[in-house]
Amino acid sequence: MAPEEIFEHLKETVVVIKLADSMGSGFFVADGSILATNAHVVGFNTRVQVKLNNGEEFSCPVLRAFKEDDVAFLHIPEKKGKVPPLRDTKSLKVGQTVLALGSPLGLEYSLTRGIISQLNQLVAGRRFIQTDASINPGNSGGPLFDEYAMVVGMNTMVAGAANKVGLAIPAELLHEKLRSLVSEWSAVAATRYCPLCGARSPEEKFCGNCGAERKALEAEAPGAPAQPAAALSAAALGAAAACGACKAEIPAGKAYCPKCGSQRS
């Protein structure tokens, strides 16, 4: 797909995350009521303001933050957003075209294009996809797309003061953390989010994960309503889907139908 087609196709999947003194990006995952972003974007907040492409704004609770992996999930129960498929990055190649969509420096819904510079760049022991697509503050938490309009990573940071050395969390890690959220989901409604450690625990005086005293933390968001885990897991990692042309199954994480070669819709 051409960059302009990808933008029109995917702009509704991306959101602007607004905080008092900063801004970030995010995108819909799972059943369309869950948003993924970076943990450093939400910081120690329990709720953040989310702006959709159509201008609507919502105050969204933070469901979970995996701070060691810099991944967080938000809940937007009032809306069902368009979910872009996640792609398994094992089939990607260095030099392949990628596009970053987000709000760099507060410039909402800006699209930049580049290539994959390295697929397995290790930084502080963590794997990133390195790209020369322009990434700036405000891009954090937004998606990195391939030329087939599939998410290959989450834009996270730039390497120091370097020019065009952007780093994105691979889609596989997002999928893994989404599965962790799914496994915890049955208990989500009966627990509260701790902004200090990012975990959830029963509504007690202290966080069951890190021991932080709840009254010492900022006002907490209520637990999210129950949601069938099947709805979440079915949409993860670009779930298997029927080909629009021949009706054969397109495997999870694949961009094209293995039977007729048509692109996933």
Side-chain angles (χ1 to χ4, degrees):
M1 296 175 69
E4 61 270 24
E5 294 176 310
I6 291 177
F7 177 78
E8 289 300 322
H9 184 63
L10 295 173
K11 63 184 180 182
E12 295 177 11
T13 70
V14 179
V15 303
V16 180
I17 297 176
K18 302 163 68 176
L19 298 100
D21 57 356
S22 63
M23 181 179 286
S25 304
F27 56 99
F28 286 99
V29 293
D31 69 338
S33 68
I34 307 297
L35 293 163
T37 188
N38 283 132
H40 79 257
V41 169
V42 300
F44 295 109
N45 295 283
T46 57
R47 302 186 79 91
V48 296
Q49 196 72 9
V50 170
K51 180 181 178 182
L52 306 186
N53 178 254
N54 63 5
E56 290 184 278
E57 294 196 18
F58 300 90
S59 176
C60 299
V62 181
L63 278 181
R64 185 73 159 86
F66 298 90
K67 292 181 181 283
E68 67 282 5
D69 299 299
D70 204 4
V71 175
F73 296 102
L74 316 175
H75 191 224
I76 181 167
E78 303 94 335
K79 199 76 176 177
K80 290 290 184 180
K82 183 177 179 180
V83 180
L86 302 183
R87 177 175 177 176
D88 186 334
T89 65
K90 295 182 180 66
S91 61
L92 295 177
K93 298 182 184 300
V94 171
Q96 192 167 333
T97 297
V98 286
L99 301 101
L101 182 55
S103 300
L105 306 177
L107 302 172
E108 300 177 8
Y109 293 94
S110 297
L111 183 71
T112 59
R113 180 170 62 175
I115 63 168
I116 294 173
S117 305
Q118 176 57 259
L119 279 167
N120 297 291
Q121 192 63 267
L122 293 179
V123 177
R126 296 165 56 200
R127 179 198 165 208
F128 291 92
I129 296 172
Q130 180 184 332
T131 177
D132 70 348
S134 182
I135 293 175
N136 291 281
N139 275 117
S140 291
L144 185 69
F145 293 111
D146 66 8
E147 64 267 46
Y148 307 116
M150 300 182 76
V151 176
V152 299
M154 175 191 287
N155 300 315
T156 300
M157 60 182 173
V158 293
N163 182 33
K164 291 195 172 183
V165 183
L167 300 171
I169 294 170
E172 289 93 334
L173 182 59
L174 299 181
H175 178 234
E176 176 188 327
K177 296 308 169 185
L178 185 58
R179 288 177 62 87
S180 295
L181 177 64
V182 168
S183 68
E184 298 174 1
W185 195 269
S186 61
V188 165
T191 59
R192 282 191 176 274
Y193 172 72
C194 173
L196 192 63
C197 69
R200 302 189 71 92
S201 60
E203 297 180 27
E204 303 291 347
K205 183 178 180 181
F206 298 93
C207 172
N209 184 63
C210 72
E213 188 174 6
R214 293 200 180 279
K215 69 179 182 180
L217 305 174
E218 61 180 288
E220 296 171 274
Q227 182 80 17
L232 291 170
S233 56
L237 199 59
C243 172
C246 71
K247 308 305 179 186
E249 181 179 279
I250 301 177
K254 302 300 180 183
Y256 286 93
C257 174
K259 183 176 180 181
C260 71
S262 295
Q263 185 177 329
R264 176 191 286 261
S265 59

